[in-house]
Amino acid sequence: MADNADHIDGDDNEDVRAQQNLIKIKLKSSEGGIYECGLTAAKMSDLVKNMVESLGTDAVVTTEPIILGNEAVTDAALKKIIEWVEFHWDDPPVDHDFEDEKDRRNEELSHWDKQFIDVDDQALLFDVIAAANYMDIKGLVEVGAKHICSKIRGKSCQEVREMLKITNDFTAEEEDAIHKENAWIYAKD
Amino acid sequence: MSQNMRSMKTSLETTDDGNEDNKQRQIYAKNSMDRFGDDLCELLLSYLSFEDRFRCECVSKQFQRTIFEKKVFDNTSGQLMAKNLLTFEFTFKGNDINSQLLCRFVADNQSLRCLTTLDSLQSFRRLKRLDLTLGSNECCVLGRKRQFFDISIPGLRITHFLLNLSQMDCNLLNNCHEFWPRLQYLSIRCLHFVTECLHHISRLPALQMLVIHCNQDIDLSDNDLNAVLSSSPKLKTIEIRVNNEKKFYSK
């Protein structure tokens, strides 16, 4: 049994991926909530993927849930993350070619991703990003990054601080000095 | 079997090994971006345009630390922008570089690695380290007839200069002591080294280390090199590398 499942693991064939996603594994948040997730979808997390690969699929399917111990992986964040991977698991694999990567980084978020990540509760948004980073889901971290950067775009330092609740730990003199150094960027506008 | 399962169970647990993260979480509010570590912060901010990076540099010390990546530059908009780079490397052909733009760019970056040519170093006043490679068709001259590269500009703060060139011009280093008053390290890599240059090198007031790297035998005698050592005010070591063999001279 284990041999079969492991054999399928190594296969990138779309049908196999679809078939594998019918296998459900359990993920447990740091708050204790247990949630089911398709195997292919869950493996978008490199953390989960490595665990599944080292233990064998059968073990993961039949044993206790995978515990995601990082505090950012709250129930709410894990539910959001599973929603995201269940939507994206059949995306074409990421091409690491430089030009493509540059294009991808510059590409706007899809409508679905925009709606997904536009969370009013900023604590939850940050939980999702930190949890995705911990679970090593690069695509989702990128969605979070693009969302935050789109909110920062064109704003002043003070507006950015207020929006993202960032403490200004510069003295007035230090801030002035940086402003002076970068004066040309303001002059450009 | 049951023992097997138990050990499997423990290995399924993942724990947060970043102790610093735990500390941070106690200090920072969950809805504050301050909670993120530098690595994640750098990753998130890497999607900002260069204009926004400059604009947001003074949001916080963490932003200042992480907003400028250490390696990339961008010319998609025809603009070169970066800051606090350790090294800047570029290649361009001919004289089509907008040197004014480059000056502003290099102003805050103290190290420049340049392949092919620069028309002048005049405005790179804060540059400390220059690694210059010149192709076979470009000669590097003090006279401005070719307008490729002119090192005869006083006031440079360069302390490290690495020069790669196929042909050494005997006039190349004329009066170099006036242009590079702070030069501590000079490395010259060439096919043929011209002995006449040694006289000029020995007049560099701050030079401590000289490296000459030749692909072919050089016509340098021990006497020549010892003379340089004794006449140069601060020179401590000369390293001669010919075909991977190293020879050292020191005071």
Side-chain angles (χ1 to χ4, degrees):
Chain A
M1 274 298 279
D3 281 353
N4 279 339
D6 286 343
H7 175 70
I8 294 168
D9 270 1
D11 202 330
D12 281 338
N13 184 295
E14 269 177 48
D15 292 342
V16 177
R17 282 161 57 88
Q19 204 187 327
Q20 277 218 337
N21 208 42
L22 297 173
I23 303 172
K24 300 295 172 197
I25 65 167
K26 295 188 197 82
L27 303 175
K28 187 173 179 180
S29 81
S30 64
E31 295 177 320
I34 297 174
Y35 303 91
E36 276 201 339
C37 182
L39 181 60
T40 312
K43 279 164 73 177
M44 290 187 85
S45 154
D46 279 350
L47 179 85
V48 173
K49 183 173 176 239
N50 290 338
M51 228 175 295
V52 171
E53 274 169 11
S54 63
L55 295 166
T57 309
D58 280 3
V60 182
V61 174
T62 53
T63 56
E64 303 275 311
I66 292 180
I67 297 169
L68 301 160
N70 185 292
E71 259 186 55
V73 193
T74 59
D75 287 345
L78 185 55
K79 272 196 271 188
K80 284 288 282 181
I81 286 174
I82 291 175
E83 184 191 342
W84 191 85
V85 293
E86 288 281 16
F87 184 82
H88 282 285
W89 66 267
D90 56 353
D91 287 358
V94 177
D95 193 331
H96 291 287
D97 180 52
F98 176 72
E99 285 304 319
D100 282 1
E101 166 149 353
K102 212 171 164 191
D103 287 348
R104 201 195 68 236
R105 287 177 68 93
N106 293 329
E107 202 179 322
E108 255 203 69
L109 290 178
S110 70
H111 180 70
W112 192 92
D113 277 337
K114 265 187 199 163
Q115 298 243 307
F116 168 86
I117 202 70
D118 194 9
V119 182
D120 287 336
D121 178 357
Q122 191 157 283
L124 174 60
L125 171 69
F126 288 166
D127 275 339
V128 170
I129 293 171
N133 184 51
Y134 162 73
M135 290 172 69
D136 212 349
I137 309 173
K138 293 186 182 63
L140 180 51
V141 176
E142 181 165 73
V143 170
K146 285 183 178 177
H147 176 66
I148 287 181
C149 289
S150 74
K151 286 167 80 168
I152 292 176
R153 201 158 296 147
K155 289 205 170 58
S156 71
C157 287
Q158 188 50 31
E159 287 167 331
V160 172
R161 279 182 211 123
E162 279 163 21
M163 178 176 68
L164 301 173
K165 312 268 183 271
I166 294 168
T167 318
N168 180 9
D169 48 5
F170 284 117
T171 63
E173 291 78 24
E174 285 171 333
E175 205 180 327
D176 271 358
I178 300 169
H179 265 293
K180 241 175 240 162
E181 261 184 46
N182 294 343
W184 58 273
I185 198 84
Y186 302 100
K188 219 177 134 251
D189 296 337
Chain B
M1 186 62 192
S2 68
Q3 199 181 1
N4 226 343
M5 290 295 277
R6 230 188 338 268
S7 70
M8 201 173 283
K9 211 164 110 185
T10 47
S11 65
L12 277 175
E13 287 189 32
T14 65
T15 47
D16 188 3
D17 51 354
N19 283 329
E20 283 185 26
D21 279 0
N22 286 328
K23 258 181 254 159
Q24 283 184 354
R25 234 173 265 120
Q26 286 162 13
I27 301 166
Y28 299 116
K30 291 207 84 174
N31 65 351
S32 161
M33 197 163 149
D34 291 342
R35 65 185 274 191
F36 293 149
D38 281 3
D39 286 350
L40 182 53
C41 192
E42 182 174 331
L43 183 61
L44 297 177
L45 297 178
S46 71
Y47 290 83
L48 282 178
S49 70
F50 282 89
E51 281 91 345
D52 282 318
R53 290 179 199 211
F54 280 97
R55 193 174 282 115
C56 293
E57 188 187 352
C58 54
V59 165
S60 70
K61 287 185 176 166
Q62 186 181 41
F63 265 50
Q64 190 188 33
R65 278 198 302 276
T66 57
I67 206 160
F68 294 103
E69 284 159 295
K70 304 290 185 282
K71 51 189 187 298
V72 282
F73 76 100
D74 180 284
N75 61 1
T76 47
S77 55
Q79 301 230 341
L80 294 168
M81 286 189 221
K83 209 176 164 185
N84 303 337
L85 289 180
L86 296 175
T87 305
F88 167 52
E89 187 172 337
F90 70 97
T91 313
F92 60 92
K93 303 241 158 61
N95 289 331
D96 58 351
I97 187 89
N98 178 341
S99 50
Q100 219 184 345
L101 197 63
L102 192 62
C103 298
R104 195 164 66 179
F105 174 75
V106 175
D108 288 306
N109 300 306
Q110 299 188 341
S111 172
L112 179 64
R113 183 149 192 239
C114 176
L115 306 167
T116 79
T117 56
L118 276 178
D119 57 354
S120 151
L121 281 174
Q122 187 163 25
S123 306
F124 306 146
R125 300 200 181 281
R126 286 164 75 172
L127 197 65
K128 287 186 175 164
R129 191 187 157 101
L130 178 65
D131 184 345
L132 188 67
T133 302
L134 299 171
S136 56
N137 295 325
E138 296 127 11
C139 72
C140 179
V141 288
L142 284 172
R144 297 177 187 203
K145 58 181 179 184
R146 297 194 65 174
Q147 284 292 311
F148 274 135
F149 176 63
D150 184 358
I151 50 172
S152 62
I153 312 282
L156 290 180
R157 294 185 177 198
I158 288 180
T159 58
H160 286 66
F161 189 26
L162 291 86
L163 187 59
N164 284 290
L165 71 174
S166 52
Q167 283 207 303
M168 186 87 188
D169 187 297
C170 58
N171 293 319
L172 173 67
L173 297 171
N174 284 4
N175 299 325
C176 57
H177 61 286
E178 288 173 18
F179 316 132
W180 306 328
R182 300 186 187 187
L183 193 67
Q184 294 172 8
Y185 180 95
L186 174 63
S187 163
I188 298 172
R189 190 184 181 128
C190 55
L191 277 175
H192 300 281
F193 187 79
V194 185
T195 322
E196 288 88 331
C197 291
L198 282 178
H199 169 66
H200 297 293
I201 291 172
S202 70
R203 294 167 73 189
L204 283 165
L207 191 69
Q208 294 184 19
M209 172 92 185
L210 171 66
V211 180
I212 298 171
H213 196 149
C214 275
N215 295 339
Q216 294 175 14
D217 287 342
I218 29 175
D219 185 22
L220 286 175
S221 68
D222 291 355
N223 279 346
D224 288 339
L225 295 165
N226 285 323
V228 174
L229 270 175
S230 58
S231 61
S232 169
K234 291 201 173 159
L235 190 62
K236 290 179 190 148
T237 312
I238 302 177
E239 183 183 331
I240 305 289
R241 288 189 221 168
V242 180
N243 301 324
N244 296 327
E245 270 177 48
K246 285 187 190 178
K247 204 168 172 188
F248 291 93
Y249 297 82
S250 50
K251 228 174 232 177

